Amino acid sequence: LKKGNISKSEGRYLLSFCNNTSPMFIISYVIWQNLGCTDITLPLLLITLLAPVLLSFLFRLFYHIPKDISCPYVTDIRQNSSKDNTMSLDACIMNGFETITRIGGYIMLFSIGISLIKLIPSANPLITFVLLPSLELTTGVTMICSAALPLKMKVLTTLSLSAFGGWCAAAQTRAMIQDTGLPLFPYIIEKLATALVTSLLIYGYLLLY
């Protein structure tokens, strides 16, 4: 978008279903390590991956993307390709370090915030099971799975959280798109919608399981 290769509406559309939790994280950390549901790994993974795909068709209706798949910016792409090839290896490495540091910094800040909030005495389940786990995905999954909840509730909650990504992921996304002019609020609403659809699909599967 910053190079002018896509329109702003297309950028907003692509943002609506990108930045999803990786399949290996869902399999190894969420399903195997914390939930222990190795026997239903494939169905849970497919449901979690299917939700953003289904919603991408719905979100497309709101952004009025032309049906013509030809790229009107192909001239700009060809012009920029030669410039991209001249980017040095050092620049690529530094860009990678900057991205990793920025993303890792948000994870550390939100994890520290969770630890501090946990020091405040509170028996409110809204804080314990909703607010704190939703701040950061990795810590949140551990908190949910260590709580005295039925297994099906843990499955439903952790995978819905994985679909949303947590508020830490929203902050990371804001940091990555801050120079593009793309709004963050629609992205948050779309990720919450993805979490809702994921929870409904998993609930239906657990009823049949």
Side-chain angles (χ1 to χ4, degrees):
L1 179 61
K2 287 189 288 186
K3 292 180 180 180
N5 294 335
I6 60 174
S7 65
K8 191 170 183 178
S9 61
E10 187 174 357
R12 295 181 63 182
Y13 167 63
L14 294 174
L15 184 62
S16 70
F17 61 92
C18 76
N19 195 20
N20 298 298
T21 306
S22 70
M24 287 311 302
F25 182 88
I26 296 173
I27 293 173
S28 62
Y29 185 76
V30 180
I31 300 177
W32 290 357
Q33 182 175 334
N34 284 278
L35 292 174
C37 300
T38 56
D39 56 328
I40 55 173
T41 298
L42 184 58
L44 295 181
L45 175 64
L46 292 178
I47 289 174
T48 309
L49 298 179
L50 180 64
V53 174
L54 292 176
L55 283 172
S56 69
F57 293 99
L58 176 63
F59 294 152
R60 188 179 181 87
L61 301 177
F62 294 96
Y63 292 108
H64 307 290
I65 306 297
K67 294 183 179 181
D68 184 9
I69 62 174
S70 61
C71 180
Y73 309 97
V74 65
T75 303
D76 294 334
I77 294 176
R78 290 171 179 171
Q79 291 175 350
N80 290 329
S81 62
S82 59
K83 298 179 182 178
D84 294 339
N85 292 333
T86 62
M87 179 177 289
S88 67
L89 179 61
D90 290 340
C92 293
I93 293 174
M94 293 308 299
N95 288 339
F97 276 129
E98 180 184 354
T99 301
I100 293 172
T101 303
R102 185 179 297 179
I103 293 176
Y106 277 106
I107 294 176
M108 292 177 59
L109 288 175
F110 275 80
S111 298
I112 293 172
I114 291 175
S115 300
L116 293 176
I117 296 175
K118 288 173 67 176
L119 297 176
I120 302 174
S122 174
N124 192 330
L126 184 64
I127 296 178
T128 305
F129 300 119
V130 178
L131 175 61
L132 286 181
S134 69
L135 292 179
E136 202 279 313
L137 177 58
T138 306
T139 306
V141 169
T142 303
M143 291 179 63
I144 294 172
C145 292
S146 60
L149 296 172
L151 178 59
K152 289 186 177 182
M153 179 61 69
K154 292 180 180 179
V155 172
L156 184 66
T157 308
T158 53
L159 291 177
S160 297
L161 176 59
S162 299
F164 172 53
W167 295 105
C168 178
Q172 294 169 347
T173 302
R174 185 205 64 81
M176 301 307 297
I177 66 172
Q178 60 184 353
D179 297 329
T180 64
L182 296 175
L184 182 66
F185 182 72
Y187 165 81
I188 294 176
I189 298 300
E190 288 152 353
K191 294 302 286 188
L192 289 173
T194 304
L196 176 61
V197 171
T198 302
S199 65
L200 293 175
L201 292 175
I202 292 177
Y203 179 75
Y205 171 75
L206 292 177
L207 287 178
L208 301 174
Y209 176 67

